[in-house]
């Protein structure tokens, strides 16, 4: 049975199916969740607090789904393809997630303001986390990139993306400071390449979400992340997420 907090968030999300956020009334959300309006205010503090919690939950659900996918597959390319395909599929079905990933917020959706610096901390632990404000699109992309890279780095060494090798694998003891330095440089380049490929997968998913090309993003991601790299990396790892307005 869902908690009162989850029931209220579900009711608020359901209300957005028929109404813009500006027309959603707190009393109606409380009634749909089967709790009092006072319970709603005790939990979230205000309509803005409810919006922040709603958006934060959407990001958390998405990230938990990404982590489950990364744990289900062994092959690195399969993992990145699965994450990209799920990102496109879920974002098309969930407007809040689409807004989080692209940074494109319309009047229909809640775009909550950060909590005031002078405001007293919420008495609800989950709300204190939500009060930090919604993740920016670039922050969410970076989280997916980093979690994908961490999962791949923990994965099996016989299923590697081209150019990805484990630090120190097969090298034995280093015989000189020069060899150690070379090994560290190689490891740093390998790490940078892994991060680049993980970010490439999620950015291709976002590009496909905004401007679909073909039935599935999977083949495009597989080709991109498994292609051999013969030139230095030029794409910045922390570039802002693509926005619909720039395409």
């Amino acid at each position: 049975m869902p908690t009162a907090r989850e029931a209220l968030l579900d009711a608020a999300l359901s209300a957005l199916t028929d109404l813009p956020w500006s027309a959603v009334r707190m009393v109606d959300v409380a009634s749909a969740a089967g709790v009092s309006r006072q319970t709603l205010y005790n939990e979230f503090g205000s309509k803005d607090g409810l919006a922040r919690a709603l958006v934060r939950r959407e990001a958390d659900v998405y990230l938990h789904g990404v982590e489950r996918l990364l744990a289900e597959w062994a092959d690195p390319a399969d993992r990145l393809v699965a994450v990209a395909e799920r990102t496109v599929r879920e974002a098309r079905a969930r407007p809040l997630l689409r807004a989080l990933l692209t940074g494109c917020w319309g009047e229909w959706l809640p775009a909550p303001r950060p909590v005031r610096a002078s405001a007293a901390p919420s008495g609800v632990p989950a709300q204190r986390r939500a009060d930090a404000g919604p993740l920016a699109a670039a922050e969410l992309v970076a989280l997916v990139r980093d979690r994908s890279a961490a999962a791949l780095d923990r994965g099996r060494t016989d299923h590697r993306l081209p150019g990805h090798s484990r630090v120190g694998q097969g090298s034995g003891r280093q015989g000189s400071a020069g060899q150690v330095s070379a090994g560290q440089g190689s490891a740093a380049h390998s790490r940078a390449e892994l991060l680049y490929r993980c970010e490439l997968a999620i950015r291709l998913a976002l590009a496909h979400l905004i401007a679909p090309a073909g039935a599935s993003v999977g083949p495009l991601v597989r080709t991109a992340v498994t292609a051999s790299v013969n030139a230095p990396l030029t794409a910045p790892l922390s570039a802002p997420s693509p926005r619909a307005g720039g395409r």
Side-chain angles (χ1 to χ4, degrees):
M1 183 176 179
T3 63
R5 183 179 182 85
E6 288 300 311
L8 286 163
L9 290 172
D10 289 342
L13 187 61
S14 178
L16 284 172
T17 304
D18 302 313
L19 296 170
W21 182 249
S22 60
V24 174
R25 301 194 310 164
M26 297 285 271
V27 63
D28 294 333
V29 171
S31 177
V35 301
S36 69
R37 186 169 59 172
Q38 187 59 51
T39 297
L40 190 158
Y41 280 102
N42 289 344
E43 197 71 41
F44 301 106
S46 65
K47 188 175 181 180
D48 252 0
L50 175 61
R52 286 192 294 272
L54 190 61
V55 171
R56 173 63 68 170
R57 185 180 71 162
E58 196 74 2
D60 288 345
V61 168
Y62 168 65
L63 289 170
H64 291 157
V66 166
E67 291 179 339
R68 284 196 301 271
L69 279 180
L70 291 169
E72 288 175 3
W73 298 87
D75 181 78
D78 287 344
R79 291 179 178 186
L80 296 182
V81 167
V83 169
E85 289 181 335
R86 180 182 186 274
T87 296
V88 173
R89 183 173 61 252
E90 291 294 303
R92 284 177 176 169
R94 292 158 53 187
L96 264 181
L97 177 59
R98 180 186 175 99
L100 275 165
L101 285 166
T102 63
C104 300
W105 295 85
E107 293 181 0
W108 198 271
L109 299 175
R113 297 184 296 271
V115 70
R116 298 190 314 276
S118 60
S122 171
V124 180
Q127 189 58 33
R128 285 201 296 272
R129 182 166 178 271
D131 282 345
L135 292 167
E139 291 176 309
L140 191 53
V141 167
L143 284 174
V144 176
R145 177 200 68 199
D146 293 347
R147 294 184 187 196
S148 298
L152 266 57
D153 216 26
R154 292 191 301 267
R156 296 171 56 186
T157 58
D158 56 339
H159 291 290
R160 297 192 299 271
L161 294 173
H164 175 220
S165 60
R166 285 190 170 273
V167 177
Q169 182 181 0
S171 61
R173 293 177 59 86
Q174 296 291 349
S176 69
Q179 286 177 307
V180 171
S181 178
Q184 290 173 339
S186 176
H189 176 81
S190 179
R191 175 65 178 172
E193 185 175 312
L194 177 61
L195 286 169
Y196 169 66
R197 291 173 188 270
C198 291
E199 182 158 338
L200 178 60
I202 183 63
R203 290 195 182 281
L204 285 172
L206 298 187
H208 190 83
L209 173 65
I210 295 169
S216 172
V217 73
L220 178 61
V221 170
R222 186 177 299 278
T223 298
V225 301
T226 58
S228 60
V229 175
N230 299 314
L233 299 179
T234 57
L237 297 182
S238 58
S241 296
R243 292 173 180 264
R247 292 190 174 268

